[in-house]
Amino acid sequence: MKKIFFVILILFSCNNNIRKTPMPENLISEEKMADVIYEMTLISVSKGVNRRILENNGVIPEKYIFEKYNIDSLQFALSNEFYSNDLNSYLNIYNRVKLKLQENKQIIVDSIENYKKDRAKRSLEIVNRERSNTIDSIKLKRSMMPLKKNN
């Protein structure tokens, strides 16, 4: 009985400590949040070379994303905090991000496979062309050789 009372006491004390984040005045829609988080995910996984290329050309990835979606970092942080207090909304946003990532992964895999097929086809064409040129040059050399006369 003491254990049940203790568990109930803990649950109520935890419940009272959870404070709901008020809805920000300029709350970003779930759809837009998913788009922003998706692009931020792409930037965060493009470590190293790709990110450095952007930064060397004066593009700060996070700033670019915020400008693209006409939001600022505070608006994003407040919206993110608000959605994180509603598990269903947050899961919905991240499921959208996950779906977009999976779709783009398939597009990339398909394009890599097509690139490999095209590259193999081009290599085969080059080999065949070179083989044909070699055969033609051998025929040309033979035709230019003087004929041997039998005594």
Side-chain angles (χ1 to χ4, degrees):
M1 184 68 161
K2 288 182 183 180
K3 290 181 185 178
I4 294 174
F5 177 73
F6 186 67
V7 170
I8 292 173
L9 180 65
I10 290 174
L11 288 175
F12 277 113
S13 65
C14 289
N15 240 355
N16 290 336
N17 289 335
I18 298 175
R19 58 178 188 156
K20 291 281 185 182
T21 302
M23 184 186 300
E25 291 178 21
N26 53 358
L27 179 69
I28 300 170
S29 71
E30 284 186 28
E31 186 175 308
K32 194 177 208 180
M33 277 295 284
D35 291 340
V36 171
I37 292 171
Y38 166 77
E39 291 204 25
M40 287 184 162
T41 303
L42 290 180
I43 293 294
S44 71
V45 297
S46 68
K47 297 175 186 167
V49 178
N50 294 334
R51 187 178 180 106
R52 237 177 281 132
I53 290 171
L54 290 173
E55 290 172 350
N56 288 342
N57 288 312
V59 177
I60 300 168
E62 289 80 7
K63 184 179 177 186
Y64 167 77
I65 293 169
F66 290 146
E67 287 175 359
K68 178 179 178 181
Y69 289 98
N70 198 26
I71 60 174
D72 59 40
S73 59
L74 178 61
Q75 182 183 8
F76 175 77
L78 292 174
S79 296
N80 193 47
E81 182 180 358
F82 175 78
Y83 286 123
S84 68
N85 283 311
D86 180 5
L87 184 59
N88 289 332
S89 295
Y90 216 51
L91 286 174
N92 187 29
I93 290 169
Y94 275 90
N95 283 334
R96 287 181 185 185
V97 172
K98 181 181 173 185
L99 182 64
K100 285 179 94 171
L101 288 169
Q102 289 171 337
E103 288 171 355
N104 281 348
K105 177 184 174 186
Q106 191 56 49
I107 290 169
I108 291 169
V109 167
D110 291 345
S111 67
I112 289 171
E113 288 175 3
N114 288 337
Y115 173 77
K116 286 179 180 179
K117 287 177 187 175
D118 289 346
R119 187 173 173 190
K121 183 179 176 183
R122 284 192 308 263
S123 296
L124 188 58
E125 288 172 356
I126 290 170
V127 167
N128 287 337
R129 190 175 326 122
E130 299 221 350
R131 188 176 290 151
S132 175
N133 289 342
T134 303
I135 292 171
D136 289 345
S137 65
I138 291 172
K139 286 179 181 177
L140 181 64
K141 285 181 183 177
R142 283 186 182 164
S143 69
M144 297 177 82
M145 294 172 80
L147 292 174
K148 287 186 180 180
K149 293 184 178 179
N150 289 338
N151 293 342

